[in-house]
Amino acid sequence: MGGAPAASAGGRCERPPLLPRVAASQGGGMLGKGVVGGGGGTKAPKPSFVSYVRPEEIHTNEKEVTEKEVTLHLLPGEQLLCEANTVLKCVQEDSCQRGIYGRLVCTDFKIAFLGDDESALDNDETQFKNKVIGENDITLHCVDQIYGVFDEKKKTLFGQLKKYPEKLIIHCKDLRVFHFCLRYTKEEEVKRIVSGIIHHTQSPKLLKRLFLFSYAAAAQNSTAADPKNHTVMFDTLKDWCWELERTKGNVKFKAVSINEGYRVCERLPAYFVVPTPLPEEDVSRFQGHGIPIWCWSCHNGCALLKMSALPKEQDDGILQVQKNFLDGIYKTIHRPPYEIVKTEDLSSNFLSLQEIQTAYSKFKQLFLIDNSTEFWDTDIKWFSLLESSSWLDIIRRCLKKAIEIAECLEAQNVNILLLEENASDLCCLISSLVQVMMDPHCRTRFGFQSLVQKEWIMGGHCFLDRCNHLRQSDKEEVPVFLLFLDCVWQLVHQHPPAFEFTETYLTVLSDSLYIPIFSTFFFNSPHQKDGNVGRESQDTQSKPLNLLTVWDWSVQFEPKAQTLLRNPLYVEKPKLDKGQRKGMHCKHQRQLSLPLTQSKSSPKRGFFREETDHLIKNLLGKRISKLINSSEELQDNFREFYESWHSKPTNYHGLLLPHIEGPEIKVWAQRYLRWIPEAQILGGGRVATMNKLLEMMEEVQCLQEKIEEKHHSQEALQAEATSLLRNSVRLSSLFPFALLQRHSSKPVLPTSGWKALGDEEDLAKREDEFVDLGDV
């Protein structure tokens, strides 16, 4: 988070400037994270904070300082747990320490810093302000790691402390970094606030102690569902029947209610869809395991299914029973030549959760920057660090797997059955990506939200464990859903007109994972949610709790801010009259169906050869279903399908495939770099291009209005978005999250790097060269 500029010694404090450094030429140096700069600076002396106000004066005037502070705003049901006064929120920049005095508080919902400069921030144009979480608020679930500084040494804090730090550093899961200096805080208050923060963010919790229930109980009379929210929740049989009818899957599949009341399986939702020939009693045979669950139907009648593995057994008799059961299931869904099924075992032939966890742990460290010096020190090795994390490679592998499955459904006209141990992690990820690529409805805002409800919430993804909301097991914490959002961002970045929502929408959705007033991401299954809501209502002897869903965006943002979640450049599907529909329908089918002949476009050199070797290496020697084709045939089909699609003009309302070559998979700059001012391009980046496009659109629309003398609601929305961008004082490449109060100058280049970086004259020539990290 950005800090405020230094002021007089009343409320803020700044260290006297250091001796001048030897400045590099204006050119900067190596091209790194979206700005010109070298690989660091000369090693700066250890920071020694010097205050213009003596400690005794601070404590004497504590009452006066407190009166300037902003009142703590509590949500319904929120309680203050501990607090400390005269805390300095620091902003570190090139070994200079600046900050703002204020009060640090901890509630059962958040950690908040209340400074005496809040009024200055309010006067600024904060056009994208979250109504629930302030700029200096951290929800307890958003805290990743806590560090203390003891005699200039940084140590991880946990459990009971024997000695308390002079400085507190908090790393957040949304990649913010907060520094709080406690040197001038009373000793008793330091012990209370540090111990309280550690306990309430790091200690294991019980589900019933989540703030979610306190908020719902206190706010149930004041919360109401948004009437404009058309997200399908898939919590009724009617919702599933509607989805079957929408995708034309109701011919071969049926919605069942055998699990109503979760009497068959607590892992599955109360209602779901299975193949029509499947007897309902088979569903309860192994508590829902080994049953093909419908995900989605393609326009040509093929379907995407998923299945959880049967429990592992050692007894030969039970194994034979399981084998006979699975054989019967396969005969039901695999009936060549009319119905052909290919299996895709994600547990054996794809990523492991451990790979995802390890990669993201390395990747996120690149963005948890403590100060400007650290930013420039790591800049020179940015690309090697990025590559070693393997996060972008994991994204590419996920997109490639989704394209392979889309090829089977679209070009080969076969059904796909995804296999996984519980069908609640990688199955959710891949099935959702396939639908985003193949179904234009899933690229609208309500369609995408309905997709998340169907595949992730009702699909039983363990958000409580995967986000580690209860702090019970770090091993279970794997950012599978964040990986999905990152994959979707790649598609949004490459094909903006195909999506009704923006990258800002995806960013705030990822932030909402850690806001415990919404029930969407705080349970492992629908059964767990329904069971705990009913139990809480019985304990309080009140009516059932009304839990909010994250899809009601009015809870977090004002209508004007919500315009940034909608893409004004979205190409809507034209509405056709009855006379046009028949002809256009045939044309649409031809656009979706790709020819089986070899494309004339040249293959990408070297890429597919490497991919073939990688695929063979992973498939040979492992258990493969007899229904799947050879790896060579699979790879040839994939190459032809991929290149043929990219050789044609893009139909934004048909099949949509991403580029997956190495340079095309990029860093989601808005989410990962938004809190680092050094990584911003002031007045530049993609947002500047968007602003110009919107201005031209506004001019065209004004001319259309004069000609046609009518005004459309969407046109008004686009004009409002244009005005919001044009009037923003924080316009930068990382809009609307950019904080421009702190922006460091170009770094001092280390003398050891001069030979590698070129001479001073070469650097000067590169003065105006900038690279947006979003294009890395």
Side-chain angles (χ1 to χ4, degrees), residues 436-448:
V436 170
M437 291 181 186
M438 300 190 72
D439 190 345
H441 174 71
C442 297
R443 301 196 285 267
T444 65
R445 191 156 66 100
F446 292 130
F448 183 79

Side-chain angles (χ1 to χ4, degrees), residues 233-247:
M233 304 305 290
F234 291 98
D235 53 0
T236 66
L237 193 64
K238 183 180 178 181
D239 289 345
W240 288 98
C241 292
W242 177 87
E243 180 72 356
L244 274 174
E245 185 177 350
R246 185 188 72 81
T247 60

Side-chain angles (χ1 to χ4, degrees), residues 18-34:
L18 298 174
L19 292 175
R21 302 185 303 176
V22 179
S25 64
Q26 293 288 328
M30 293 289 289
L31 297 178
K33 309 182 189 68

Side-chain angles (χ1 to χ4, degrees), residues 1 78 89 104-113 132-146 168-180 197 200-202 471 511 514-516:
M1 299 290 288
E78 185 178 5
K89 177 178 176 283
L104 185 63
V105 303
C106 179
T107 73
D108 55 353
F109 169 64
K110 65 178 181 284
I111 300 166
F113 177 79
V132 177
I133 303 297
E135 194 171 295
N136 291 321
D137 294 346
I138 316 165
T139 66
L140 301 182
H141 297 281
C142 192
V143 175
D144 192 9
Q145 293 289 337
I146 301 176
L168 196 65
I169 302 175
I170 300 177
H171 285 186
C172 303
K173 293 183 178 180
D174 61 3
L175 305 181
R176 289 181 293 170
V177 178
F178 287 87
H179 295 254
F180 298 109
I197 288 175
H200 292 290
T201 60
Q202 305 295 309
R471 293 284 179 178
D511 291 342
Y514 313 110
I515 304 180

Side-chain angles (χ1 to χ4, degrees), residues 68 199 314 438 446 455 672 697 728:
K68 298 179 182 178
H199 174 74
Q314 301 297 327
M438 300 190 72
F446 292 130
E455 296 297 332
Y672 299 123
M697 289 175 63
S728 174

Side-chain angles (χ1 to χ4, degrees), residues 192-220:
R192 194 158 50 241
I193 193 67
V194 173
S195 299
I197 288 175
I198 292 174
H199 174 74
H200 292 290
T201 60
Q202 305 295 309
S203 300
K205 302 176 181 64
L206 297 174
L207 177 60
K208 64 180 181 179
R209 298 299 182 192
L210 285 178
F211 178 73
L212 175 72
F213 298 112
S214 302
Y215 178 83
Q220 59 181 333

Side-chain angles (χ1 to χ4, degrees), residues 701-702 704-712 715:
Q701 287 162 5
C702 288
Q704 287 178 339
E705 287 175 18
K706 291 178 181 179
I707 295 172
E708 301 175 5
E709 295 183 352
K710 61 181 179 180
H711 185 73
H712 297 289
E715 293 170 355

Side-chain angles (χ1 to χ4, degrees), residues 394-414:
I394 284 177
I395 292 172
R396 184 183 64 84
R397 290 169 65 184
C398 291
L399 292 172
K400 184 174 183 292
K401 180 63 69 177
I403 296 172
E404 289 176 357
I405 293 171
E407 186 270 333
C408 292
L409 292 167
E410 177 71 29
Q412 297 186 34
N413 293 334
V414 297

